[in-house]
Amino acid sequence: MKMLINVPETVVADALRGMAACHPELIVDVENRVIVRRDAPVEGKVGLVSGGGSGHEPLHGGFVGSGMLDAACPGEVFTSPVPDQMVRAAAAVDSGKGVLFIIKNYTGDVLNFDMAAELAEDEGIQVAKVLVNDDVAVTDSLYTAGRRGTGATLFVEKIAGAAAAEGAPLEQVESIARRVNELSRSFGVALSPCSTPSKGGPTFELPAGELELGVGIHGEPGRERRAMMTSHEIADYAVQVVVEDLRPENPVLLLVNGMGATPQLELYGFAAEVHRALGERQVAVARTLVGNYVTSLDMAGASITLCQVDEDLLRLWDAPVRTAGLRWGA
Amino acid sequence: MSSSEPAVDDTLDTPFFLRWLTTAATSVSHEAARLTDLDSAIGDADHGTNMQRGFAAVAEALEKEPPGSPGATLILAGRQLISKVGGASGPLYGTLLRRAGKALGDAEQITPQQLADALRAGVDAVAQLGGAAPGDKTMLDALLPAVEALGGATGSFAAAGEAAEKGALATVPMLARKGRASYLGERSVGHQDPGATSSALLIAALAEAAR
């Protein structure tokens, strides 16, 4: 496996040095692994902090900037960050109005953010937490740790970020974030495994003629393996399971997300099929975002996320955003 | 059981605890690739790397600022794991050692029975933090039999090591109900749990340090 790296041990630090060099609007603390918008803390504004394992870029560091996150904490590849990073981030962005932690539902992320919230509160920072758990691929039951948090994280960060930018108080930003999560569902498909730098090769085997339906963003298996399907068939499958679970009555935001190694040519072709499949089920699409946003290193494949929106959420979605990975109207 | 194994009325001092943790660091480093392989089957292939990084930091911190008591040794190690490991392993292992260390207080000499009780407190804290129960295919499946073996009437470190190893092997047919492997449901069956495996290493290091 050839990778554009120096050594596996410095992959995350090297990427952060790159972000620092390329984005003067960000303060990138390479040693402590915190990315903060340069103008933080923004007076009178609730601070938004997220984070998770590295390897999902541009999530989350690429979404730090005006209209979205105030800070992000990147962990090691596919490993959640540690509480020290989150506390540092919270302290850097708190203007006195409190901080919202946006957490993807993975055991490590949840445990570390929980510990960080306690520590930050000890330092006098008011902290609220929202858990993103949108992935319909794995069944929720009494016995599991719940659904995984994936693509909806982008919707939560963008829309809650817009609400915070408008000056909404912590309680309201938190409730909007929670609402966006509740109105969102995702499903992902892998055409190839991903390779982590430390392992130096694929983290799972996926035979040439097969695909993994319901794959997680770390390449963890999902529902089932099947013989390779066409874009048309994959779109039908993914849209069916998401719509069945979400049962949208309003128009939706649609994210057609690449896993890292699928080109735009294929993603747009897939987006066409997703639009068709949604149309056949009478689901109106208000906005579509197509590209690599919540990736899994070099995995080929795609995920779709739907978020059911009303006028208010749509207005917040359309509000200006200026980050390395997402930018419009500003 | 080795003849030099501490008897019930023997005491364990700070050097014993330092020896335990440095042995654990070496063993985790040797087994890192195996832990990562186990994790790539049902998780996300980072357990070995993470544990290696964490325990290397523990060994370094203990060397740099050697603590004055067994309790302080475990607390320092736990704090290092929490701030260096990340993932679920950092908070869980960090909590295990920190809580056990707190239970020991600042006594300079510890009896094996006191250590068994302290470890039991640490394991209980892990169960509470992770919300897992025995049979969920987690580190608890190695740790619980170990503390039971250690705290029992005929308890010994060697017995604890064997119980932990047996507990880790017993996770193979289990269905994961907690942690990232739980997202796999039925597909987690047939794989040994990486967390239970690293827990068995930690207990084996305890037995090794006692020899």
Side-chain angles (χ1 to χ4, degrees):
Chain A
M1 184 71 219
K2 286 187 283 186
M3 291 182 186
L4 186 58
I5 62 172
N6 293 316
V7 289
E9 291 73 25
T10 64
V11 163
V12 175
D14 291 346
L16 291 177
R17 286 194 295 116
M19 283 202 85
C22 304
H23 297 285
E25 71 278 17
L26 300 175
I27 297 172
V28 182
D29 181 342
V30 178
E31 196 192 336
N32 294 302
R33 312 235 162 147
V34 182
I35 301 162
V36 183
R37 56 189 283 188
R38 192 162 285 281
D39 56 353
V42 180
E43 192 54 41
K45 193 184 96 62
V46 166
L48 263 63
V49 173
S50 191
S54 292
H56 308 302
E57 290 68 27
L59 189 80
H60 296 272
F63 299 147
V64 175
S66 67
M68 217 160 162
L69 295 177
D70 294 87
C73 317
E76 289 294 321
V77 171
F78 289 178
T79 299
S80 87
V82 299
D84 306 20
Q85 288 168 267
M86 299 153 184
V87 173
R88 213 175 270 271
V93 306
D94 182 32
S95 70
K97 297 290 175 185
V99 173
L100 178 68
F101 283 168
I102 298 167
I103 310 161
K104 296 189 299 303
N105 192 25
Y106 282 99
T107 310
D109 290 322
V110 173
L111 292 182
N112 284 284
F113 269 106
D114 278 354
M115 294 191 135
E118 275 187 46
L119 295 171
E121 274 162 5
D122 286 351
E123 290 186 19
I125 302 168
Q126 196 190 350
V127 177
K129 296 179 287 189
V130 62
L131 202 61
V132 182
N133 57 350
D134 55 312
D135 190 343
V136 302
V138 281
T139 345
D140 199 352
S141 81
L142 279 178
Y143 301 110
T144 68
R147 297 176 194 262
R148 302 178 291 219
T150 59
T153 316
L154 183 149
F155 289 149
V156 172
E157 290 175 358
K158 170 66 186 79
I159 292 173
E166 284 183 353
L170 181 58
E171 195 178 294
Q172 202 178 329
V173 177
E174 180 194 354
S175 102
I176 286 173
R178 217 173 283 281
R179 198 157 142 244
V180 171
N181 175 56
E182 279 159 13
L183 293 170
S184 300
R185 299 287 190 280
S186 294
F187 190 84
V189 176
L191 310 182
S192 81
C194 54
S195 298
T196 59
S198 63
K199 193 154 197 281
T203 61
F204 66 102
E205 299 292 324
L206 189 53
E210 292 180 19
L211 82 172
E212 175 86 33
L213 292 166
V215 75
I217 56 171
H218 309 93
E220 56 292 31
R223 287 193 168 179
E224 56 172 320
R225 291 238 169 124
R226 281 205 192 167
M228 191 53 201
M229 297 154 73
T230 63
S231 175
H232 183 106
E233 291 163 343
I234 296 172
D236 271 333
Y237 187 104
V239 165
Q240 182 59 32
V241 294
V242 170
V243 166
E244 221 170 62
D245 205 286
L246 183 62
R247 302 191 177 279
E249 289 164 3
N250 288 343
V252 295
L253 303 176
L254 165 65
L255 168 63
V256 177
N257 174 60
M259 297 293 199
T262 289
Q264 291 265 312
L265 180 73
E266 293 171 39
L267 286 182
Y268 269 106
F270 182 57
E273 296 294 348
V274 172
H275 270 258
R276 171 197 55 76
L278 286 168
E280 285 171 10
R281 288 164 181 80
Q282 281 79 47
V283 179
V285 178
R287 302 283 185 274
T288 308
L289 187 62
V290 182
N292 290 290
Y293 291 102
V294 184
T295 58
S296 307
L297 295 170
D298 62 342
M299 191 194 289
S303 63
I304 62 167
T305 305
L306 301 186
C307 175
Q308 205 183 162
V309 288
D310 55 20
E311 273 178 25
D312 194 38
L313 293 182
L314 189 58
R315 183 183 60 78
L316 291 169
W317 174 253
D318 286 339
V321 58
R322 190 177 177 86
T323 69
L326 198 66
R327 184 177 296 207
W328 59 68
Chain B
M1 199 198 304
S2 145
S3 57
S4 58
E5 166 111 357
V8 183
D9 53 355
D10 270 355
T11 55
L12 308 166
D13 53 9
T14 307
F16 168 83
F17 283 82
L18 293 173
R19 206 159 65 236
W20 171 25
L21 294 169
T22 45
T23 306
T26 310
S27 149
V28 162
S29 171
H30 283 157
E31 299 287 327
R34 184 165 76 99
L35 293 175
T36 288
D37 278 347
L38 290 174
D39 195 28
S40 63
I42 56 172
D44 51 5
D46 64 357
H47 190 57
T49 333
N50 288 344
M51 292 295 283
Q52 188 173 17
R53 187 177 60 249
F55 273 91
V58 168
E60 197 188 311
L62 293 178
E63 198 180 6
K64 218 159 80 186
E65 34 174 332
S69 71
T73 306
L74 295 187
I75 289 172
L76 177 63
R79 210 175 58 217
Q80 286 296 313
L81 293 178
I82 291 172
S83 69
K84 290 289 171 359
V85 178
S89 318
L92 291 170
Y93 275 105
T95 297
L96 172 73
L97 296 184
R98 260 171 54 87
R99 197 58 72 89
K102 278 188 175 178
L104 292 179
D106 48 16
E108 283 177 20
Q109 304 281 331
I110 301 293
T111 66
Q113 185 58 50
Q114 282 172 320
L115 176 56
D117 293 344
L119 282 176
R120 161 66 76 172
V123 173
D124 288 348
V126 168
Q128 196 182 9
L129 184 64
D136 283 351
K137 199 180 181 95
T138 70
M139 54 198 278
L140 287 182
D141 292 311
L143 292 176
L144 277 171
V147 293
E148 264 154 38
L150 189 60
T154 56
S156 75
F157 291 104
E162 279 163 28
E165 179 62 30
K166 236 168 99 182
L169 287 172
T171 62
V172 174
M174 289 178 186
L175 178 74
R177 301 195 201 279
K178 287 289 164 188
R180 207 166 278 179
S182 71
Y183 299 123
L184 304 186
E186 296 290 342
R187 292 169 70 174
S188 65
V189 171
H191 301 280
Q192 185 167 328
D193 183 61
T197 309
S198 56
S199 287
L201 290 179
L202 188 63
I203 303 297
L206 183 62
E208 175 87 23
R211 237 176 249 149

